[in-house]
Amino acid sequence: MSDVLAAEPRIRIDDRVNGSSGNGLADEVRDGLSRPLKELPPKLFYDDRGSRLFDRITQLPEYYPTRCEREILNRRAPEIVAASQAEELVELGSGFASKTRALLYAMAGAGTLRRYVPVDVSQLVIERCAEELCEIYPGLVVHGLIGDFERDLEHIPDGERRMFAFLGGTIGNLHADERLRFFREIRELMGGDDTLLLGTDLVKDVDELEAAYNDAEGVTGEFNLNVLEVLNRELGADFPLDRFEHVAFFNEDESWIEMRVRSLDDRVVHVPGAGIDVELAAGEDIRTEISTKFTRGRVAGDLAEAGLRLNEFWTDVGDRFGLSLASPFG
């Protein structure tokens, strides 16, 4: 164990969110709702209600990504740990570490688990996760970062033999230029012995893709429309949720799923917290999320453009989801 880790308390939490000015959301909403195709940031999905709804989504029969990724992790965790030779796990968008328990277990079994660095916007989630993991793994150091993976990467603590994990297919929510910027920021943080473990949803039958975002129970529709409730609460907006509908479809030209909320009427919505009024025509959409679907070649190309080499690529038995392990060139 390094001198740095030996001197660090077992649980340490840095907060980059609660000490911020709080204007970021208003700025993003103002910018997105001023575009020709109005757009909202996907982070609006994950308030308390949205997080509970997403947990329900992951258990729906139509929604395969979570099951497929967990299958790969459960089957391949020792192989992933051996290939990465990681002693620290840095998880972006960690939640309760439910996706990475298999990795932590495999690292502990290999005798290499030294530190876990969860990055999440929820202080409560990180605190509970840290306490639980320190009970399970004596000697483990947890250094949590309460922050946004798109803005606060620079605050991730230095370390050695780190595996950065960005799972769940979340990378698909970023546009191509945003993905490149994200990968380059990760590359700048990485030492020569660090690796990146990346989860990506893969291209497949359109009917299967669209069914995953249009479930029979309508849970995804509730999840999608909840972003308007978040705007009503956080920015004082007056979106009437019953006058909007959920829309999701596969855009073949872009190779991504688009989720949108569609206005059923002509209306003007007031968003005082962002200082704007939004004119909507009947049938007009606000895009709430893109979810890009990848091939192995596209993953390798995106990583290479940021100076990262694709070393390993694992899929579930149905080839529906992929996990990539990458390291810096040179």
Side-chain angles (χ1 to χ4, degrees), residues 51-68 70 98 212 215-217 219-220:
S51 295
R52 291 195 300 272
L53 286 169
F54 185 71
D55 284 343
R56 287 177 58 192
I57 289 171
T58 64
Q59 300 171 43
L60 294 169
E62 299 96 333
Y63 194 79
Y64 59 86
T66 302
R67 290 192 301 275
C68 292
R70 185 169 290 123
S98 59
D215 61 277
E217 293 184 35
V219 182
T220 308

Side-chain angles (χ1 to χ4, degrees), residues 70-327:
R70 185 169 290 123
E71 174 196 320
I72 303 168
L73 289 167
N74 289 342
R75 186 160 48 98
R76 300 286 193 176
E79 188 178 340
I80 294 169
V81 168
S84 68
Q85 299 185 327
E87 297 181 359
E88 304 182 32
L89 180 61
V90 180
E91 185 175 8
L92 308 179
S94 58
F96 284 104
S98 59
K99 296 187 289 287
T100 49
R101 296 291 172 122
L103 293 173
L104 293 167
Y105 183 80
M107 291 171 70
T112 61
L113 181 61
R114 303 288 182 262
R115 180 164 67 170
Y116 175 56
V117 181
V119 180
D120 199 277
V121 296
S122 171
Q123 179 174 348
L124 179 62
V125 164
I126 286 185
E127 288 176 346
R128 288 183 177 176
C129 182
E131 292 170 0
E132 180 182 345
L133 291 176
C134 283
E135 287 185 11
I136 295 173
Y137 301 110
L140 173 67
V141 170
V142 178
H143 188 150
L145 173 62
I146 304 168
D148 186 326
F149 70 81
E150 291 189 73
R151 292 198 303 262
D152 299 314
L153 291 179
E154 63 182 308
H155 302 294
I156 291 173
D158 293 336
E160 301 172 357
R161 293 196 175 280
R162 296 173 295 176
M163 176 163 55
F164 292 82
F166 192 44
L167 304 178
T170 306
I171 191 66
N173 299 149
L174 305 181
H175 291 269
D177 59 332
E178 295 170 329
R179 286 200 305 274
L180 179 58
R181 183 167 61 251
F182 171 80
F183 286 142
R184 284 177 172 167
E185 289 176 359
I186 289 288
R187 173 63 186 88
E188 289 177 5
L189 291 176
M190 296 172 74
D193 56 3
D194 292 338
T195 54
L196 169 65
L197 184 67
L198 180 70
T200 50
D201 197 6
L202 303 179
V203 173
K204 59 185 66 64
D205 179 76
V206 172
D207 289 341
E208 184 177 10
L209 283 170
E210 293 188 340
Y213 295 83
N214 292 287
D215 61 277
E217 293 184 35
V219 182
T220 308
E222 287 185 63
F223 175 71
N224 193 15
L225 290 170
N226 187 59
V227 301
L228 303 182
E229 181 60 36
V230 173
L231 291 182
N232 289 349
R233 182 181 67 246
E234 298 296 328
L235 297 178
D238 57 0
F239 285 95
L241 271 63
D242 61 343
R243 302 311 301 162
F244 286 81
E245 64 180 356
H246 162 72
V247 177
F249 62 93
F250 185 62
N251 183 327
E252 295 195 38
D253 292 337
E254 300 288 355
S255 191
W256 67 39
I257 286 281
E258 292 195 25
M259 287 218 307
R260 302 181 176 192
V261 290
R262 178 169 295 164
S263 177
L264 300 178
D265 315 289
D266 294 335
R267 70 175 54 255
V268 176
V269 176
H270 308 288
V271 191
I276 55 171
D277 295 330
V278 183
E279 293 188 15
L280 291 163
E284 185 175 355
D285 292 345
I286 301 173
R287 186 162 64 191
T288 53
E289 182 182 71
I290 63 168
S291 183
T292 301
K293 310 306 171 184
F294 294 84
T295 63
R296 175 175 179 156
R298 185 172 188 176
V299 171
D302 284 0
L303 291 169
E305 196 171 354
L308 294 165
R309 177 193 300 110
L310 177 62
N311 298 326
E312 303 284 351
F313 189 80
W314 300 277
T315 68
D316 62 289
V317 293
D319 292 328
R320 294 183 290 178
F321 198 91
L323 277 184
S324 307
L325 188 70
S327 60

